[in-house]
Amino acid sequence: MNIHTPSSKKQDKYKTINLHGVLEGSGNADRLPTVLLVAHYDAMSGIPGLSYGADSNGSGAVALLELMRIFQRLFSSSNKPEYNIAFLLSGSAKLNYFGTKKWLEEMRESSKFPYLNQVESVICLDSIASQSSNLYIHISKPPKEGSANHQLIQHLKEAATEFGSSAEHIHKKIALAHSKLAWEHEQFAMSKMAGMTISSLENHKAPIRTSALDTRSSVTSQVLTQNIHVIGEAVARYIFSLSSNDSAKQVTVLDADLAVQRSMVKAWLDLLTSEPRAAQLLKPTSSLLISMEQAFQRYLQSVSRTTYTCDTRDPEFVLYDPVLDTMHVYSVKPAVFDLFLAVVIGAYLGVVYLLSLAYPSLASKIMNKTKKA
């Protein structure tokens, strides 16, 4: 085996790209309550060039893009809710949710996103396409009864039950002593914004989140489609203020033209897993980023692309090149041949050694016979 790798080189011009947009409800949009849906699109593994992240977090990005399409149709109808739904697609999330952190800092200091102060709940989507259709709702603080988070959790549990799966919430405090956050909603919680992360994974330490084996073949569009339906249905019931009673359970908002399209889910999933999405590989001109930005512009209002870089003096992280290299593996004869050759050589040397020991007596006998003759 032979590997020729050039010396590591620091990436000085790495940029993180975020996309955000909104669907404005009926009334004065700047004053309407808002639900913020968030997903990140980058992936991570020990091998950057093999970081396809089909489940983590290709599935979350696909869900966000499909929910954009569905709610755009819903908001285009005459029965528009008195709620805004905002969408954020963040980058560099595998690097301690760097893109989300920078986005929050900028939006709080500027007026680029006037809906931020009206956000009632932040719903982050992360790894929702595992083989099981069960969903876990991760929260940092138990919600008060009647709060937005409490109602959304109830809607999620009801919708999951109705569609043949289940949903349960898991409370985990933010580990402030650790340098790395567990889930994306924790960045918002640290900014005193109520939120949750919806995932098929029960624990943030699940190996699949940073595995090179998280490929397209490891997820199914059927499970992902069902989970998107559950999440979308719960959000729709919340923004239309459908109460959690027996009659409301018979209402399905996302049906007919508003249903989740499995063909769209599959198409987006195929696109997102067509190339590795390690943070250092995603350039601002990436065709994948351009495709997702075009979807934002097609379905949403007030779409914006924001770009962030690390602090030059005290960077949050440092990335290095190269991320790909060629390994040369040479075929050799099997070990059995080496063993056989060793035996033959050993036998040959043994014969030579025995002959050398017997040589004096043998030579003497030959000399005696020669003299007699």
Side-chain angles (χ1 to χ4, degrees):
M1 184 169 61
N2 189 16
I3 305 175
H4 292 290
T5 306
S7 58
S8 298
K9 182 181 178 183
K10 186 171 73 172
Q11 289 189 2
D12 295 322
K13 298 181 179 180
Y14 172 73
K15 296 180 180 179
T16 295
I17 306 297
N18 285 358
L19 299 170
H20 72 253
V22 68
L23 288 170
E24 295 181 348
S26 177
N28 187 346
D30 291 353
R31 296 184 179 181
L32 290 178
T34 302
V35 174
L36 176 60
L37 295 176
V38 183
H40 60 272
Y41 58 83
D42 57 310
M44 174 181 278
S45 75
I47 311 171
L50 297 179
S51 301
Y52 291 94
D55 189 18
S56 180
N57 191 34
S59 62
V62 170
L64 190 80
L65 293 162
E66 178 63 1
L67 289 173
M68 279 167 37
R69 184 191 66 81
I70 292 171
F71 281 107
Q72 188 271 337
R73 295 178 68 90
L74 184 62
F75 276 60
S76 297
S77 65
S78 56
N79 188 23
K80 186 185 291 189
E82 295 181 353
Y83 262 89
N84 299 323
I85 298 185
F87 298 83
L88 169 63
L89 192 61
S90 61
S92 300
K94 299 299 186 181
L95 302 171
N96 208 22
Y97 306 104
F98 174 77
T100 306
K101 175 187 175 183
K102 287 295 185 180
W103 183 84
L104 275 169
E105 291 174 354
E106 181 183 7
M107 296 307 129
R108 287 199 177 281
E109 294 174 359
S110 68
S111 58
K112 292 182 180 180
F113 192 74
Y115 318 94
L116 192 64
N117 293 330
Q118 310 303 321
V119 172
E120 288 189 344
S121 181
V122 181
I123 302 175
C124 302
L125 309 176
D126 189 338
S127 309
I128 60 171
S130 69
Q131 297 301 321
S132 171
S133 58
N134 298 334
L135 292 173
Y136 297 95
I137 308 163
H138 299 275
I139 53 176
S140 301
K141 184 179 179 181
K144 294 181 180 179
E145 187 172 352
S147 66
N149 263 16
H150 181 266
Q151 293 180 56
L152 280 164
I153 289 173
Q154 291 303 114
H155 283 305
L156 282 163
K157 291 181 177 180
E158 291 170 3
T161 301
E162 291 171 30
F163 297 124
S165 59
S166 67
E168 63 176 283
H169 69 278
I170 299 175
H171 171 223
K172 178 189 174 298
K173 291 183 178 179
I174 301 175
L176 296 175
H178 294 175
S179 59
K180 185 172 175 58
L181 298 176
W183 299 103
E184 192 160 13
H185 75 270
E186 294 181 356
Q187 279 288 7
F188 295 92
M190 291 173 69
S191 296
K192 298 182 179 181
M193 297 175 67
M196 65 185 78
T197 294
I198 302 175
S199 177
S200 295
L201 304 177
E202 189 174 359
N203 194 304
H204 70 280
K205 295 181 180 179
I208 196 65
R209 297 188 76 199
T210 54
S211 173
L213 301 178
D214 185 11
T215 59
R216 177 65 180 86
S217 60
S218 66
V219 300
T220 62
S221 55
Q222 180 179 356
V223 172
L224 180 54
T225 299
Q226 178 174 333
N227 287 339
I228 294 173
H229 195 171
V230 169
I231 296 166
E233 184 68 30
V235 173
R237 291 180 185 183
Y238 174 72
I239 63 176
F240 279 105
S241 301
L242 298 178
S243 60
S244 300
N245 54 41
D246 292 337
S247 61
K249 291 180 181 179
Q250 305 303 318
V251 177
T252 301
V253 181
L254 304 187
D255 59 0
D257 292 340
L258 298 175
V260 180
Q261 291 187 10
R262 188 172 172 182
S263 59
M264 291 292 293
V265 170
K266 183 179 182 299
W268 275 118
L269 193 57
D270 290 342
L271 179 62
L272 278 158
T273 55
S274 63
E275 59 181 87
R277 302 192 316 281
Q280 55 266 57
L281 293 174
L282 290 167
K283 308 301 180 185
T285 56
S286 163
S287 60
L288 176 60
L289 277 172
I290 292 173
S291 296
M292 293 190 292
E293 185 174 11
Q294 289 173 345
F296 266 68
Q297 293 171 342
R298 184 182 309 119
Y299 299 126
L300 305 180
Q301 304 160 303
S302 304
V303 174
S304 178
R305 170 194 273 231
T306 53
T307 304
Y308 306 104
T309 57
C310 290
D311 190 309
T312 54
R313 290 175 296 180
D314 185 21
E316 290 83 351
F317 55 86
V318 179
L319 299 176
Y320 290 87
D321 281 330
V323 294
L324 290 172
D325 208 341
T326 303
M327 177 185 296
H328 299 280
V329 179
Y330 300 95
S331 177
V332 297
K333 290 185 170 72
V336 175
F337 175 80
D338 294 336
L339 181 61
F340 173 75
L341 186 61
V343 170
V344 171
I345 294 173
Y348 169 76
L349 293 175
V351 170
V352 172
Y353 176 71
L354 292 174
L355 287 174
S356 66
L357 292 177
Y359 177 76
S361 60
L362 182 62
S364 177
K365 289 180 181 181
I366 294 174
M367 291 291 291
N368 290 335
K369 288 183 179 181
T370 304
K371 289 179 180 180
K372 290 178 180 180

